[in-house]
Amino acid sequence: MAERNDAPAAVGDPTTSDPGPDFGPALVPVTREVDCGTAKLLPDVDRPRAALLTVDGAPQSYVDLDEPTYLEFEYARRIGHVLDAVAEPGRPLDALHLGGGALALPRYLGATRPGSRQQVVEADRGLLDLVREHLPLPPDSGISVRAADARAALESAPEAAADIVVADVFGGSRVPAHLTSAEYARAAGRALRPGGCYVANLADSAPFTFLRGQLANYAAVFARLCLIAEPAVLRGRRFGNAVLVASQEELPLPEIARRVAADAFPARVEHGPRLRQLIGDAQPVRDEDAVPSPEPPAGAFSVG
């Protein structure tokens, strides 16, 4: 589930990005019933090899097969900025992606950091079949995809095996409750190597009851946190996405801040005292108390 904007904006270092091969003819519209609803692939009139993926009208992913470094959604570009900043340019990473969609972020990481080993977990088998058929991965991409529950996959992942865990899991337009607890946050910490990063796409609005609980979860597990969001969202003026970044070691905050501020839709990075102020008296959320992220207001993310 994502913000949609009309301004083209790619991220990444062009000296290390690979535009990828041409897979063939222009894409065509597709509508199919998948496990979690009605999925649609809507080709972009300006990009013949690009399409928007929606499920029940909610935007899930956008992919340009010929330009995998192009990220259409604002939140995806912010995650892309983090992926660019967490290691020296071009260095391969071992990544675990929870939530697949059309595989926009795995494609991006594979293009900007060739040789990366990536595992993608997506619960919706029907959606995976649709993406494999109409938005295939390039040969030798280093990306493996499997159908499984995100939490089960995270808890069974090898300990300290991932450089980065990216969580972009939405059931329709909400993060499922079993992915919002402190126990889930501890599983994320166990899967990461020393210095590794957990990155999550979340969504909320003032008074940020859900988001504050999520921050409390990760503050109890990780030594360093930051939150990336549009200023209007942070000021409580509208519902929107917020990208959480967590690590046991220092985050490259100046580089992340520089990149997100230079984006076509600038964002702000909250950390340190300002982030602690946002958390306030929020406590970690136990499994038995966990709830899904809030329902977006009507029209917040839907596509006609």
Side-chain angles (χ1 to χ4, degrees):
M1 186 271 294
E3 298 153 318
R4 183 88 201 269
N5 66 72
D6 298 321
V11 292
D13 181 350
T15 64
T16 60
S17 298
D18 179 358
D22 184 344
F23 281 78
L27 300 175
V28 297
V30 178
T31 299
R32 183 179 298 176
E33 293 303 314
V34 296
D35 300 359
C36 61
T38 301
K40 294 185 178 182
L41 283 180
L42 306 172
D44 190 328
V45 296
D46 297 320
R47 291 172 168 260
R49 304 281 293 135
L52 171 70
L53 170 67
T54 70
V55 177
D56 290 340
Q60 299 293 323
S61 198
Y62 177 101
V63 165
D64 188 331
L65 294 178
D66 294 335
E67 193 177 348
T69 58
Y70 178 85
L71 297 175
E72 169 78 6
F73 295 151
E74 297 168 35
Y75 91 86
R77 293 202 301 275
R78 289 164 192 158
I79 294 177
H81 294 314
V82 174
L83 297 177
D84 292 340
V86 294
E88 56 271 21
R91 189 188 115 192
L93 297 176
D94 290 334
L96 173 61
H97 298 264
L98 304 176
L103 311 179
L105 287 165
R107 296 173 203 262
Y108 176 84
L109 185 62
T112 57
R113 297 183 177 277
S116 293
R117 295 180 297 183
Q118 303 188 71
Q119 295 185 353
V120 182
V121 177
E122 167 60 55
D124 193 319
R125 294 177 182 272
L127 188 62
L128 283 182
D129 290 341
L130 175 67
V131 171
R132 288 187 179 111
E133 181 179 348
H134 294 278
L135 299 171
L137 289 166
D140 304 320
S141 67
I143 302 170
S144 63
V145 183
R146 65 188 177 99
D149 175 76
R151 177 152 173 183
L154 182 64
E155 291 177 339
S156 65
E159 185 173 355
D163 296 308
I164 192 145
V165 174
V166 179
D168 186 14
V169 185
F170 282 79
S173 56
R174 305 177 75 182
V175 180
H178 69 301
L179 307 182
T180 68
S181 69
E183 290 88 342
Y184 167 84
R186 285 197 291 272
R190 186 194 65 83
L192 287 167
R193 291 177 178 142
C197 283
Y198 175 82
V199 187
N201 176 30
L202 305 171
D204 201 0
S205 61
F208 301 117
T209 303
F210 172 76
L211 186 59
R212 291 171 63 237
Q214 295 306 290
L215 291 168
N217 286 345
Y218 291 93
V221 175
F222 293 92
R224 309 290 178 183
L225 299 180
C226 75
L227 189 71
I228 307 167
E230 183 183 336
V233 173
L234 292 170
R235 293 186 187 119
R237 294 179 181 172
R238 70 174 185 85
F239 187 96
N241 296 84
V243 172
L244 166 71
V245 186
S247 180
Q248 299 294 8
E249 298 187 11
E250 289 286 346
L251 293 166
L253 294 174
E255 181 64 12
I256 293 173
R258 182 187 69 79
R259 288 176 179 270
V260 302
D263 192 86
F265 286 78
R268 199 166 74 205
V269 179
E270 297 286 15
H271 61 93
R274 290 178 66 93
L275 194 61
R276 289 192 291 273
Q277 183 179 10
L278 177 59
I279 297 172
D281 60 359
Q283 297 297 310
V285 180
R286 299 174 300 176
D287 268 334
E288 55 266 36
D289 301 320
V291 297
S293 63
E295 188 78 41
F301 299 114
S302 62
V303 173

